[in-house]
Amino acid sequence: MHKYLQLLSELESKIESRQWTDGNKLPSIRILADRYGCSQSTVIRALNELERRHVIYSVPKSGYYVVKGALASPKEGTGVIDFATSAPDRSVFPYLDFQHCINKAIDTYSGDLFVYGTPQGLDTLIQVVQKQFADYQVFASPKQIFITSGVQQALAVLAGMPFPNRKSKVVLEQPGYHLLIEYLETHNIPVVGVGRTAKGLDLEELERIFRGGDVKFFYAMPRFHSPLGTSYTKREKLAIIELAEKYDVFVVEDDHMADFEQDSKADPLFAYDRSARVIYLKSYSKILLPGLRVGVAVVPDQLVDVFQRYKRLLDIDTSMLSQAALEIYIKSGMFERHRHKIRASYARRSNVLAASIKHHFGPLSDISAICDASQPMIHTHVALDRSISVPRVISLLKKKGVVIEPIDKHYLTAYPKENLLKINVSNTKDEDIDQGICRLAETVKKLANTKRRSAARDQ
């Protein structure tokens, strides 16, 4: 099976990278078998799978050819440069690998699929997660680990359940996670925002809020904040932990981008916690499938019982099939191979994005401020002068074939909004990134010049 999957990945990679382009004839079965050191039956099996997925087609007595548009990303060929979509890149997702894991999960856990599981999650997956999380410097006992229906469910449980500090208010970074903002405001849960910019978190403001009292927990994205793209420094992490201890506040750490970290010394907040105040959340949506709906919550001992009780009231258990497939995917080593592949792909795009922004927006320093993150990420932001209308920029760019999403939903309704452009390239081809940023910079410059001329006429 390993040789077959390896060969299939190699063939897909050549088609994805356009080494074999539309209509190209593939090497013969014999040549492929010799080249990759496998049997001809293995080659035939891989080719049959690619043909079944309409990536290639066969011509009797001639050979196999690449189908036009094979393995193209959703936006390819549309002329649209997508800076809005934040879902994982389809073109690097190993469909066959994960399909194999789902099929094996059905066979292995056929009995479990016909009964309800437990609110905590599949025992064998919890053991696998416990071992994997040690690589993230998150050390926890099995009883502290809960498998949830995405991080969103974990946040809903935490927002609704009582905490030992008997407080009720939630504090969020601004800008912050839009779905949590919507949830809290919809359910009328007391919430306060604290400012965060490319320069970091406003620690003085955070302390003032903590000192004011009634803060249940502070929700933060220390690593690769969405939508800013920045990460906390070690100094900021230690300061947050110190403030949480001082004012009896819990910290909910959303580490949804942990798999893309390049710096081995960049530890999560959880690693600095000595008073069991950090609740660690991890999602598999950004590296695998958003539809998988599997998240993990690591909960301090003092919260375990109440978290389990409240989670059980939301649903009896997280999808057993998704849990079982993820367990097999991680244990087989497929997850680690996929992580290396997608991390390399995203790192390349992140570097192109950072270089493009610096090149095109550098000369516009009088009307914009660019994010200079210590480690570039696939999502980032550009701060514009207040005189420039972000909705106008987005509207003009749409006419030029560049799609950008407004940032307003990342702010609490009553919180003052910064004039930011949100940029994401997880579904943007490398060669389109610079072109899109160039169009963006030209649009911003044109609007600024128009404003200046208008102001000069009014004087």
Side-chain angles (χ1 to χ4, degrees):
M1 178 60 71
H2 175 70
K3 197 67 172 178
Y4 163 63
L5 291 173
Q6 186 180 34
L7 173 61
L8 194 60
S9 295
E10 289 282 350
L11 299 180
E12 284 181 325
S13 178
K14 287 187 178 295
I15 297 171
E16 287 172 2
S17 63
R18 297 297 183 260
Q19 294 181 50
W20 295 335
T21 58
D22 296 353
N24 276 182
K25 181 180 178 180
L26 274 61
S28 69
I29 294 172
R30 181 181 58 78
I31 290 175
L32 288 173
D34 291 342
R35 181 178 298 174
Y36 294 104
C38 59
S39 67
Q40 292 190 21
S41 62
T42 299
V43 173
I44 293 171
R45 184 182 175 193
L47 294 174
N48 286 342
E49 174 60 27
L50 290 176
E51 186 173 20
R52 186 186 67 80
R53 292 165 51 191
H54 306 293
V55 174
I56 62 175
Y57 64 94
S58 61
V59 176
K61 299 182 180 180
S62 177
Y64 291 86
Y65 296 81
V66 178
V67 172
K68 184 176 181 180
L71 298 180
S73 62
K75 297 294 181 181
E76 192 167 352
T78 66
V80 173
I81 298 176
D82 183 4
F83 285 161
T85 303
S86 60
D89 184 357
R90 286 185 179 184
S91 67
V92 294
F93 183 76
Y95 290 96
L96 188 69
D97 286 10
F98 205 77
Q99 183 184 40
H100 163 73
C101 293
I102 290 174
N103 292 337
K104 184 159 183 162
I106 292 173
D107 292 338
T108 305
Y109 294 97
S110 56
D112 298 273
L113 298 177
F114 288 93
V115 297
Y116 290 116
T118 66
Q120 188 174 356
L122 187 64
D123 288 344
T124 47
L125 176 59
I126 288 173
Q127 294 169 16
V128 170
V129 166
Q130 180 190 25
K131 183 177 179 181
Q132 186 186 58
F133 275 26
D135 293 336
Y136 305 138
Q137 296 303 301
V138 175
F139 299 95
S141 65
K143 74 173 185 177
Q144 294 177 283
I145 299 173
F146 287 82
I147 308 301
T148 61
S149 298
V151 161
Q152 187 67 13
Q153 185 193 50
L155 290 172
V157 173
L158 293 168
M161 66 183 244
F163 272 54
N165 58 16
R166 298 182 180 180
K167 300 177 182 181
S168 61
K169 194 179 298 180
V170 176
V171 179
L172 302 180
E173 301 164 319
Q174 293 293 277
Y177 182 29
H178 64 96
L179 289 178
L180 179 56
I181 290 172
E182 185 176 348
Y183 182 88
L184 295 173
E185 293 189 332
T186 299
H187 289 82
N188 296 314
I189 296 172
V191 56
V192 178
V194 58
R196 180 172 177 178
T197 68
K199 295 180 180 179
L201 182 69
D202 190 334
L203 291 168
E204 291 183 1
E205 182 184 2
L206 184 68
E207 183 166 15
R208 283 196 299 271
I209 295 170
F210 282 9
R211 190 190 302 125
D214 200 32
V215 177
K216 181 162 85 167
F217 67 78
F218 168 48
Y219 169 83
M221 286 181 276
R223 198 189 323 251
F224 306 131
H225 178 277
S226 177
L228 299 180
T230 57
S231 299
Y232 284 156
T233 62
K234 182 178 179 179
R235 182 188 70 82
E236 287 176 306
K237 294 174 186 176
L238 291 172
I240 291 169
I241 294 297
E242 183 180 342
L243 290 174
E245 292 178 1
K246 182 177 180 179
Y247 295 103
D248 189 20
V249 173
F250 286 83
V251 178
V252 176
E253 176 178 21
D254 189 340
D255 203 14
H256 66 295
M257 301 296 284
D259 294 303
F260 302 101
E261 180 62 71
Q262 304 278 349
D263 183 1
S264 60
K265 296 181 180 180
D267 292 333
L269 277 170
F270 188 93
Y272 300 103
D273 181 24
R274 296 293 177 267
S275 59
R277 291 190 174 277
V278 176
I279 300 153
Y280 181 84
L281 306 181
K282 168 77 171 63
S283 170
Y284 289 91
S285 295
K286 295 300 180 184
I287 193 165
L288 289 173
L289 293 169
L292 187 65
R293 304 312 301 147
V294 174
V296 180
V298 179
V299 180
D301 287 336
Q302 58 186 317
L303 299 179
V304 165
D305 290 341
V306 66
F307 186 93
Q308 179 161 309
R309 186 165 70 251
Y310 272 72
K311 181 184 181 299
R312 181 172 54 82
L313 294 174
L314 281 181
D315 67 359
I316 297 174
D317 59 19
T318 301
S319 165
M320 288 292 288
L321 182 57
S322 291
Q323 290 187 70
L326 180 60
E327 178 209 333
I328 293 169
Y329 192 68
I330 295 173
K331 285 175 67 175
S332 67
M334 293 180 186
F335 177 87
E336 192 60 29
R337 290 197 299 274
H338 172 62
R339 181 165 68 168
H340 281 296
K341 181 179 179 180
I342 194 171
R343 186 161 61 183
S345 174
Y346 280 10
R348 186 178 64 251
R349 294 182 205 182
S350 300
N351 290 329
V352 173
L353 175 62
S356 296
I357 290 177
K358 185 175 182 179
H359 174 71
H360 294 292
F361 276 90
L364 305 180
S365 56
D366 58 329
I367 56 174
S368 67
I370 62 176
C371 173
D372 187 19
S374 58
Q375 182 181 323
M377 195 51 196
I378 52 170
H379 59 266
T380 188
H381 71 284
V382 174
L384 299 181
D385 185 86
R386 284 286 180 186
S387 65
I388 301 172
S389 167
V390 168
R392 180 63 175 155
V393 171
I394 293 174
S395 176
L396 290 173
L397 281 173
K398 188 174 182 180
K399 295 177 182 178
K400 296 180 179 181
V402 179
V403 180
I404 290 184
E405 189 179 60
I407 204 169
D408 291 16
K409 67 181 181 181
H410 291 275
Y411 284 96
L412 292 163
T413 302
Y415 198 90
K417 298 172 179 60
E418 297 295 326
N419 215 34
L420 306 180
L421 285 172
K422 171 187 170 185
I423 304 170
N424 190 300
V425 296
S426 63
N427 276 266
T428 312
K429 294 185 293 183
D430 295 18
E431 58 268 28
D432 285 344
I433 295 174
D434 188 71
Q435 185 180 4
I437 296 299
C438 179
R439 293 179 192 176
L440 172 56
E442 288 173 350
T443 301
V444 169
K445 185 177 180 180
K446 183 177 180 180
L447 286 175
N449 288 338
T450 301
K451 286 284 185 181
R452 287 168 181 159
R453 286 193 296 269
S454 177
R457 285 195 301 268
D458 293 341
Q459 289 180 350

